[in-house]
């Protein structure tokens, strides 16, 4: 799948919203400033990824883990991010586990209805893929909107 | 409708607030695309994807606030404010070429003119 240039940039509408929510309502942000922040954020992703990858590589691993990212963030001198990130991560993990539990319970319920052809023959993996697919759909909508907004 | 501190009041508060929550505003699939474009990156765990997405949101807020507080005017954020922050902070060295300070054409020509003179001196 070839990557179009806009795929390597974060959606400006979302970035602008985060910028707005970080400031008091009356503060104005110039168009140029918004564009620069969006660009900086995309480069931040690349830089953080590269640093995280170095951490994994030093440990002879091919998968970047959450711990690698935390270590990289500290190396990048953004120590103040570590605490909020750790809190957010534990909340997110809790949410992911709840989703898995729900999926598991649904599957067990369906299996419990013996004899009748169960509609829910999908495995948890399929469900996770479905969740990812849903994410992709959201992204497509944003991309379509983003393309419409392209300068 | 906005509350005094500027944050919109809505029923979907946890989802719309990027601050400390488990939710993210930036699309993780897009972040993943950017991560994968980096050379030598093989596998990205879901956890690391979440953390980098979240860290990027924190970074956006951080950069924005710094630019506003240290800028010429605290009622606005201009490109100039951003460039000043980026050029000054050590932690933002990776952005020095991405958000450069702007100079006028006349200033640039002056710099180029002086450089030319230096070369002539050597010869």
């Amino acid at each position: 799948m070839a990557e179009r240039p806009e795929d390597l940039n974060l959606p400006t509408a979302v970035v602008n919203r985060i910028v707005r929510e970080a400031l008091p309502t009356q503060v104005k942000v110039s168009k140029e400033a918004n564009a620069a922040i969006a660009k900086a954020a995309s480069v931040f992703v690349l830089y953080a990824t590269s640093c995280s990858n170095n951490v994994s590589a030093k440990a002879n691993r091919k998968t970047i883990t959450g711990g690698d990212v935390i270590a990289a963030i500290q190396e990048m001198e953004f120590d103040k991010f570590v605490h909020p990130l750790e809190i957010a991560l534990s909340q997110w993990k809790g949410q992911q586990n709840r989703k898995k539990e729900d999926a598991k319970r649904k599957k067990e319920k369906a299996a419990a209805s013996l004899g009748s052809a169960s509609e829910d023959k999908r495995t948890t993996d399929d469900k996770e893929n479905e969740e990812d697919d849903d994410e992709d759909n959201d992204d497509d909508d944003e991309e379509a909107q983003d393309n419409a907004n392209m300068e | 409708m906005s509350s005094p501190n500027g944050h919109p009041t809505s029923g979907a508060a946890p989802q719309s607030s990027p601050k400390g929550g488990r939710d993210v505003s930036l699309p993780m699939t897009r972040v993943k695309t950017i991560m994968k474009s980096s050379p030598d990156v093989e596998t990205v765990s879901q956890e690391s994807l979440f953390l980098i997405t979240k860290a990027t949101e924190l970074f956006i807020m951080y950069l924005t606030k710094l630019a506003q507080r240290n800028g010429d005017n605290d009622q606005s954020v201009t490109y100039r404010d951003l460039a000043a922050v980026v050029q000054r902070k050590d932690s933002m060295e990776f952005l020095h070429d991405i958000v450069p300070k702007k100079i006028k054409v006349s200033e640039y020509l002056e710099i180029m003119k002086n450089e030319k003179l230096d070369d002539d001196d050597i010869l």
Side-chain angles (χ1 to χ4, degrees):
Chain A
M1 182 178 78
E3 285 155 352
R4 293 166 289 153
E6 54 263 31
D7 286 346
L8 298 183
N9 287 305
L10 297 165
T12 48
V14 181
V15 174
N16 293 352
R17 175 154 54 94
I18 299 173
V19 167
R20 247 187 299 119
E21 289 181 355
L23 298 166
T25 1
Q26 74 276 14
V27 176
K28 294 209 183 307
V29 183
S30 75
K31 227 165 146 185
E32 222 184 345
N34 266 324
I37 293 173
K39 206 162 152 206
S42 300
V43 174
F44 178 87
V45 172
L46 278 171
Y47 181 48
T49 299
S50 174
C51 290
S52 304
N53 198 42
N54 287 341
V55 176
S56 329
K58 272 194 212 144
N60 291 316
R61 273 183 282 101
K62 292 189 175 173
T63 304
I64 301 178
T65 66
D68 297 335
V69 175
I70 296 289
I73 292 288
Q74 285 171 309
E75 277 180 24
M76 289 159 64
E77 293 175 38
F78 287 104
D79 292 75
K80 52 182 72 170
F81 290 3
V82 174
H83 188 54
L85 282 176
E86 286 173 339
I87 292 177
L89 180 65
S90 63
Q91 288 178 332
W92 181 77
K93 284 209 275 205
Q95 188 186 48
Q96 297 300 101
N97 285 337
R98 273 194 298 278
K99 277 187 190 169
K100 285 189 180 153
E101 287 299 308
D102 286 346
K104 195 176 160 195
R105 254 183 273 122
K106 277 190 189 155
K107 184 182 153 195
E108 284 168 355
K109 229 177 169 182
S113 49
L114 300 159
S116 55
S118 170
E119 330 177 272
D120 207 8
K121 285 198 168 105
R122 295 168 300 165
T123 63
T124 314
D125 283 341
D126 289 336
K127 286 225 173 97
E128 279 180 11
N129 288 340
E130 213 179 75
E131 280 177 19
D132 288 340
D133 287 341
D134 285 342
E135 264 189 51
D136 282 334
N137 287 339
D138 288 343
D139 205 39
D140 285 339
D141 287 342
E142 280 190 32
E143 276 182 4
Q145 191 187 48
D146 218 35
N147 287 337
N149 290 340
M150 281 282 277
E151 293 103 16
Chain B
M1 256 316 184
S2 290
S3 54
N5 67 351
H7 290 279
T9 48
S10 71
Q15 231 136 26
S16 62
S17 163
K19 217 169 176 187
R22 63 190 167 212
D23 291 314
V24 287
S25 307
L26 294 171
M28 280 175 31
T29 42
R30 184 75 66 91
V31 173
K32 188 169 184 181
T33 303
I34 301 173
M35 288 177 76
K36 288 285 208 169
S37 76
S38 179
D40 303 332
V41 166
E42 297 210 32
T43 318
V44 168
S45 71
Q46 278 293 100
E47 263 188 35
S48 68
L49 173 58
F50 171 79
L51 285 174
I52 290 208
T53 306
K54 197 74 193 170
T56 306
E57 289 182 5
L58 292 175
F59 177 76
I60 292 169
M61 293 191 281
Y62 179 60
L63 176 59
T64 300
K65 288 182 186 174
L66 271 183
Q68 185 237 344
R69 286 175 199 163
N70 296 296
D72 305 317
N73 172 9
D74 67 0
Q75 293 305 296
S76 72
V77 175
T78 63
Y79 178 89
R80 217 172 102 146
D81 299 331
L82 282 170
V85 167
V86 166
Q87 299 303 316
R88 236 178 39 224
K89 293 284 283 184
D90 287 342
S91 61
M92 302 209 190
E93 209 176 316
F94 70 99
L95 288 175
H96 279 187
D97 291 338
I98 307 292
V99 192
K101 275 199 163 163
K102 289 188 183 174
I103 58 174
K104 294 193 188 140
V105 172
S106 54
E107 290 171 308
Y108 173 79
L109 292 172
E110 195 63 37
I111 292 170
M112 288 293 108
K113 195 169 81 179
N114 291 333
E115 279 190 15
K116 239 183 179 170
L117 286 170
D118 289 340
D119 284 346
D120 289 347
D121 284 347
I122 291 166
L123 290 173

